Amino acid sequence: MTVVDTEEFVVLLDEQGRQVGTAPKVSVHHQDTPLHLGFSCYLLDGDGRVLLTRRALVKRTWPGVWTNSCCGHPGPGEPIEEAVRRRAHHELGLRIEEPVCVLPDFRYHAVAADGTAENEICPVFVARADGPVRPAADEVMDWRWVRWQELRAAAELPWSISPWAAVQIPLLHDTGAVG
């Protein structure tokens, strides 16, 4: 029997956004999280609604918090668009075609109540989704299709959504990519 290594790795970055190494995902999120590469994605349905998800309670960072449709980390050498598709399928059971990067230079640092920090260069994507949402229980505990105006209102109350989404939503509105 062959054992498959399923440990996820993230791409570590320097201050200029250049790759400087990799690290196991389970080891990077703590009080002094190193800068690493992530992504966020906002999925739209045929009616122009945005999929809002609530992170599962077992998530290491921001458990139980409402946020964008899906997010994650590309693996070493993985094209980021492929990582977006992989995570949309893994987290939500959705297949997406062409994720479009609308905020390529988005970067954030946020600290959760327990002291765990996020520290990412996090390009933001928008994509169309088709089919029923079938969330993975260890990733998503709840979800809703919402109108863009509802999501914009949530960003006005930053305690109601993840810190990265609270910053991304007004920027997305400014690009005209959503809404």
Side-chain angles (χ1 to χ4, degrees):
M1 180 173 163
T2 304
V3 176
V4 176
D5 182 10
T6 60
E7 184 173 33
E8 283 187 71
F9 283 79
V10 299
V11 176
L12 302 176
L13 304 172
D14 66 14
E15 286 299 315
Q16 287 71 45
R18 296 179 299 234
Q19 182 175 340
V20 295
T22 63
K25 179 181 168 185
V26 297
S27 73
V28 297
H29 296 102
H30 44 72
Q31 290 182 342
D32 192 28
T33 299
L35 183 61
H36 59 282
L37 182 60
F39 65 84
S40 290
C41 185
Y42 291 78
L43 298 175
L44 306 173
D45 71 3
D47 294 327
R49 296 177 302 174
V50 180
L51 182 61
L52 188 62
T53 62
R54 187 171 179 207
R55 294 168 63 83
L57 293 177
V58 297
K59 298 289 281 181
R60 171 80 175 105
T61 58
W62 280 270
V65 173
W66 286 95
T67 193
N68 53 288
S69 307
C70 68
C71 52
H73 306 88
E78 181 181 28
I80 197 163
E81 291 83 1
E82 284 300 314
V84 172
R85 285 195 269 288
R86 174 177 53 83
R87 291 303 297 180
H89 186 258
H90 171 77
E91 291 183 28
L92 302 164
L94 292 171
R95 296 201 184 276
I96 59 174
E97 290 300 317
E98 285 297 321
V100 176
C101 187
V102 293
L103 297 173
D105 301 319
F106 183 77
R107 180 178 177 173
Y108 78 99
H109 183 272
V111 180
D114 70 354
T116 302
E118 274 288 10
N119 186 18
E120 292 186 351
I121 291 179
C122 182
V124 179
F125 290 80
V126 173
R128 294 269 175 207
D130 190 23
V133 178
R134 295 180 308 274
D138 62 338
E139 297 286 348
V140 175
M141 66 184 289
D142 201 0
W143 58 273
R144 299 273 187 288
W145 288 105
V146 300
R147 297 271 169 222
W148 179 247
Q149 301 88 314
E150 295 174 276
L151 195 51
R152 290 242 337 157
E156 304 277 327
L157 306 168
W159 50 265
S160 69
I161 59 174
S162 69
W164 56 91
V167 177
Q168 291 169 350
I169 291 165
L171 295 173
L172 284 169
H173 182 76
D174 291 346
T175 69
V178 181

